[in-house]
Amino acid sequence: MKRALVTGAGGFIGSHLVEALVAEGVEVRAFVRYNSRGARGHLDALDGPFDSFAGDVRDADQVKDAARDCDVAFHLAALIGVPYSYHAPRSYVDVNVRGTLNVLEAVRETGAVLVHVSTSETYGGADGVLREDSLPLARSPYAASKIAADKLVESYVHSFDMPAVTLRLFNTYGPRQSARAFLPSVITQALARDVVRVGSLEPVRDYVYVRDAASALLAAARCEGARGRVVHVGTGIGHTMGELAERALARVGGDKRLEIDADRVRPISSEVMRLVCDASEARALFGWQPRVDLDEGLDETIAYLRAHLDDYRTGEYAV
């Protein structure tokens, strides 16, 4: 791996991946969404050398320009919030489906290895652990758009012999994550007030630390045996949202109280009650396993959020 394209590079996971690539001496072309301020998201805070490319994954010509001369492409650009997908399903199709098609066409032209990032939300839940052959179930427009994107990648593997691997990330958390996600929402509220407003606390999730997720992306890109496959990235350990919230609040400290906010509760038939994975394929194929346990990850996340609390609107619900 000499030169890597990273779409969605300015985001939470993308910025950690760029850091990891730079640390390993890989030339990085960081694809970030164009804006008039020239802001590059979390990349603005990074010191490492990388090239920035401002554009939009919905523009096929821009994606082809960005992919030129790259031997690996990491596709992370996506709209990811489940609640917002209820309000803007067309946008999710445009970015997550059409954007993925543009990346696939660009990679097909260059012959690069593609690492496509998927999500556990494509499953819709299961009573036991989820394996890579578990059936998809779209409980939200977001999930539907990611299932469609995953199937496009699958089709290019079979139709054009594309060297692509789909990594299905379970709930990733850590520094730089927005308050759209559960843990940053809980922690930033707890740092600012005594009452923490939350949604459903019964669902069970498998939480993996962001640096571990980035290391899985790197390992998958280098593993020929992973190409053409879907591989899980998670811990295999499930926690209820209530347990996660209480665990985070205990580490923040102080007398905090959880309060259910109806606006944060998903429609009942759209809620996914359990997402816990079997990640043995990642260990078998490219020797990956999580190294950061939940308490260590929470402490690092809390430290970051405490230092950057002014960047968060703690009084608002981030959809």
Side-chain angles (χ1 to χ4, degrees):
M1 181 166 30
K2 294 181 179 179
R3 183 178 293 111
L5 170 69
V6 180
T7 69
F12 161 52
I13 301 174
S15 61
H16 284 276
L17 175 60
V18 169
E19 273 189 310
L21 287 164
V22 169
E24 296 203 4
V26 178
E27 294 180 34
V28 178
R29 186 167 296 148
F31 193 107
V32 297
R33 187 174 181 183
Y34 168 80
N35 61 83
S36 60
R37 294 174 287 109
R40 302 176 301 169
H42 292 297
L43 297 182
D44 286 337
L46 303 188
D47 297 326
F50 52 84
D51 295 328
S52 295
F53 189 107
D56 193 316
V57 292
R58 294 171 294 184
D59 188 313
D61 291 333
Q62 287 188 314
V63 177
K64 285 185 178 181
D65 285 344
R68 188 172 291 114
D69 302 325
C70 292
D71 57 339
V72 176
F74 296 91
H75 179 39
L76 291 83
L79 289 176
I80 60 174
V82 171
Y84 186 58
S85 77
Y86 302 139
H87 302 286
R90 194 182 307 275
S91 296
Y92 279 68
V93 172
D94 283 347
V95 175
N96 297 354
V97 183
R98 188 151 58 94
T100 297
L101 178 62
N102 291 339
V103 170
L104 285 165
E105 281 293 290
V107 168
R108 181 184 174 196
E109 189 171 293
T110 64
V113 172
L114 173 65
V115 180
H116 168 65
V117 175
S118 181
T119 169
S120 58
E121 285 283 337
T122 59
Y123 288 122
D127 291 336
V129 296
L130 288 156
R131 296 176 175 82
E132 284 83 354
D133 60 357
S134 297
L135 295 176
L137 175 61
R139 291 193 182 274
S140 66
Y142 166 62
S145 71
K146 292 299 288 183
I147 291 169
D150 293 357
K151 288 299 182 181
L152 274 174
V153 174
E154 181 182 303
S155 76
Y156 272 61
V157 167
H158 291 292
S159 299
F160 307 115
D161 198 26
M162 179 174 286
V165 55
T166 293
L167 286 196
R168 196 155 282 152
L169 304 189
F170 281 65
N171 285 63
T172 308
Y173 74 103
R176 303 178 195 153
Q177 192 170 26
S178 77
R180 175 205 59 79
F182 180 75
L183 280 174
S185 174
V186 168
I187 294 166
T188 54
Q189 289 183 76
L191 290 170
R193 57 180 50 84
D194 294 331
V195 177
V196 176
R197 298 173 70 81
V198 294
S200 299
L201 297 177
E202 292 79 17
V204 175
R205 294 293 186 267
D206 183 340
Y207 268 71
V208 60
Y209 192 62
V210 65
R211 284 204 310 269
D212 285 333
S215 71
L217 288 163
L218 286 175
R222 295 188 167 105
C223 178
E224 292 188 12
R227 293 170 193 175
R229 306 179 73 122
V230 174
V231 183
H232 285 166
V233 175
T235 66
I237 302 170
H239 304 275
T240 67
M241 307 307 277
E243 177 191 348
L244 286 163
E246 294 291 355
R247 202 156 171 172
L249 294 183
R251 304 189 85 78
V252 169
D255 185 16
K256 312 294 179 180
R257 176 168 57 86
L258 296 174
E259 183 177 285
I260 302 297
D261 178 357
D263 289 338
R264 299 170 188 254
V265 177
R266 293 194 200 182
I268 189 167
S269 61
S270 182
E271 182 61 270
V272 182
M273 294 309 298
R274 181 178 176 86
L275 292 172
V276 180
C277 81
D278 176 351
S280 58
E281 281 288 287
R283 290 193 297 273
L285 287 169
F286 43 83
W288 177 87
Q289 59 183 359
R291 301 189 180 280
V292 179
D293 68 26
L294 182 59
D295 287 336
E296 180 184 353
L298 283 173
D299 286 344
E300 292 194 18
T301 303
I302 291 166
Y304 174 87
L305 294 172
R306 194 186 299 275
H308 296 84
L309 191 59
D310 289 344
D311 296 338
Y312 292 81
R313 297 186 178 97
T314 58
E316 299 179 16
Y317 171 36
V319 178

